[in-house]
Amino acid sequence: MATMKDIAKLAGVSTSTVSHVINKTRFVSDEIAERVNNAAKELNYYAPSALARSFKTNRTNTIGMLMTTSTNPFFGEVVKGVERCCYHEGYNLILCNTEGDVKRMRASVETLMQKRVDGFILMCSTLESEYSAILERLADVPVVLMDWGPISYPCDKIQDNSLRGGYLATKHLIANGHRDIGCITGPLYKHQAQMRYQGFKRAMKEANLEIHPHWVIEGDFECEGGYQAFDKFKQHGTLPTAVFAGNDMMAMGLINAAHEQGVSVPSDLSVMGYDDIHVARYMTPSLTTVHQPKYRLGKAAVDALVARIADRERDSQVVELEPTVVERGSVIPCKGNDQ
């Protein structure tokens, strides 16, 4: 019966490399992996099942991720980073969509627990009020939280600095001479939406600019929210010269509505987004926005969880990634204002 040592000799690699390829415990280049797999086939080698290995090592090399999907491509771009980093770390990823439903979230947790995943990544900001019960259920499992608000539970947390992001976005509009600035927030019960709005208010206060209540509209983080916000701006007569939208999806909806009603972006209305989703640069006009390092968010979550799996006693960490402004075509200097 062939052994890993036989495969290593035939493939011209070390035995440890063969083990990593067969057990998927570490990233190995495609060329070497192919040589190992071809040698294994030639020698009729049969690897022990994943289930058998898990009983021996008490590891399944599998991570479970719970998230609430949306039409917003932001989430898909973060998941792409998580999946790619799992692959490089030798982990499989099981992705569960909660669809914002508490029962579905709890059922997904139970399913993943039954599959004996080594750890959880949670990205379900729509279910913030449910975190206590969920985290209590996961008390004995490594957990990393993404995109959730302040939580006292001792686990690793990965988040963007939304307060600074909202501040930088508004400062950019002010630097371009805008004084009459509106804001479309996300749902304000969500921590990230609230922080971006607080950043907007801080920048306006620093510049001694008035915040007009009818130019602050609570949206839904979807295109429809931005689309409807434009009608609400119009109902109050005079439009602001610029609007900070709490994410790119709402900015896109706002631009679409403005175009339909003959308002030119950016000539009549400058628009600032948040997230820097992939399609933002391909809009007309291309969207000025706040960049979130989505791949790095995903990588940071996987890195933190893998470290936690390896060492349950390590101190909990909060990793906060810094946003930056990306200047494109949807913001121009305000007409009539000296720069």
Side-chain angles (χ1 to χ4, degrees), residues 165 168-169 172 248 271-277 280-281 286-294 323-331:
L168 290 176
H172 182 71
D248 290 348
V271 176
M272 183 90 189
Y274 199 111
D275 282 342
D276 193 23
I277 59 177
R281 72 188 67 183
S286 57
L287 185 62
T288 298
T289 185
V290 175
H291 174 74
Q292 283 207 73
K294 295 167 285 297
T324 55
V325 170
V326 179
E327 297 184 43
R328 296 195 181 105
S330 65
V331 173

Side-chain angles (χ1 to χ4, degrees), residues 156-186:
D156 297 295
K157 305 173 186 72
I158 314 297
Q159 58 195 32
D160 80 301
N161 191 338
S162 288
L163 177 66
R164 179 161 177 77
Y167 175 81
L168 290 176
T170 311
K171 287 279 287 184
H172 182 71
L173 295 175
I174 295 170
N176 275 276
H178 294 280
R179 301 294 178 263
D180 297 326
I181 303 173
C183 181
I184 308 174
T185 74

Side-chain angles (χ1 to χ4, degrees), residues 110-334:
E110 294 305 320
T111 297
L112 292 172
M113 292 288 280
Q114 291 170 16
K115 291 184 179 296
R116 303 176 70 246
V117 297
D118 295 332
F120 283 80
I121 295 174
L122 304 182
M123 193 175 185
C124 308
S125 59
T126 57
L127 297 170
E128 284 181 2
S129 61
E130 300 297 322
Y131 75 82
S132 293
I134 296 300
L135 293 177
E136 184 177 338
R137 176 70 179 91
L138 300 178
D140 297 324
V141 184
V143 173
V144 170
L145 294 183
M146 297 182 70
D147 223 15
W148 250 337
I151 294 174
S152 58
Y153 184 82
C155 66
D156 297 295
K157 305 173 186 72
I158 314 297
Q159 58 195 32
D160 80 301
N161 191 338
S162 288
L163 177 66
R164 179 161 177 77
Y167 175 81
L168 290 176
T170 311
K171 287 279 287 184
H172 182 71
L173 295 175
I174 295 170
N176 275 276
H178 294 280
R179 301 294 178 263
D180 297 326
I181 303 173
C183 181
I184 308 174
T185 74
L188 290 175
Y189 69 87
K190 292 186 178 183
H191 178 71
Q192 306 297 70
Q194 183 65 239
M195 289 299 98
R196 291 171 196 179
Y197 179 45
Q198 293 301 322
F200 165 79
K201 291 196 294 184
R202 177 180 292 182
M204 293 290 282
K205 183 178 180 180
E206 279 188 7
N208 295 314
L209 297 178
E210 182 181 358
I211 298 175
H212 299 275
H214 53 270
W215 285 346
V216 177
I217 296 171
E218 185 173 359
D220 59 0
F221 276 155
E222 303 290 345
C223 289
E224 186 63 25
Y227 188 91
Q228 293 179 358
F230 183 81
D231 285 335
K232 294 177 182 177
F233 287 139
K234 290 279 286 186
Q235 288 170 12
H236 292 284
T238 306
L239 289 172
T241 64
V243 172
F244 164 47
N247 75 347
D248 290 348
M249 297 292 282
M250 294 191 298
M252 290 165 62
L254 175 70
I255 291 172
N256 188 28
H259 175 74
E260 287 182 0
Q261 298 194 39
V263 174
S264 174
V265 176
S267 297
D268 302 322
L269 178 69
S270 285
V271 176
M272 183 90 189
Y274 199 111
D275 282 342
D276 193 23
I277 59 177
H278 182 69
V279 298
R281 72 188 67 183
Y282 300 111
M283 295 170 54
T284 303
S286 57
L287 185 62
T288 298
T289 185
V290 175
H291 174 74
Q292 283 207 73
K294 295 167 285 297
Y295 177 84
R296 285 171 52 209
L297 281 168
K299 184 178 187 304
V302 174
D303 288 346
L305 187 56
V306 170
R308 174 68 57 189
I309 291 169
D311 180 7
R312 299 288 188 93
E313 303 303 318
R314 65 191 290 269
D315 292 335
S316 298
Q317 297 180 351
V318 176
V319 178
E320 194 167 58
L321 302 181
E322 292 299 317
T324 55
V325 170
V326 179
E327 297 184 43
R328 296 195 181 105
S330 65
V331 173
I332 60 173
C334 183

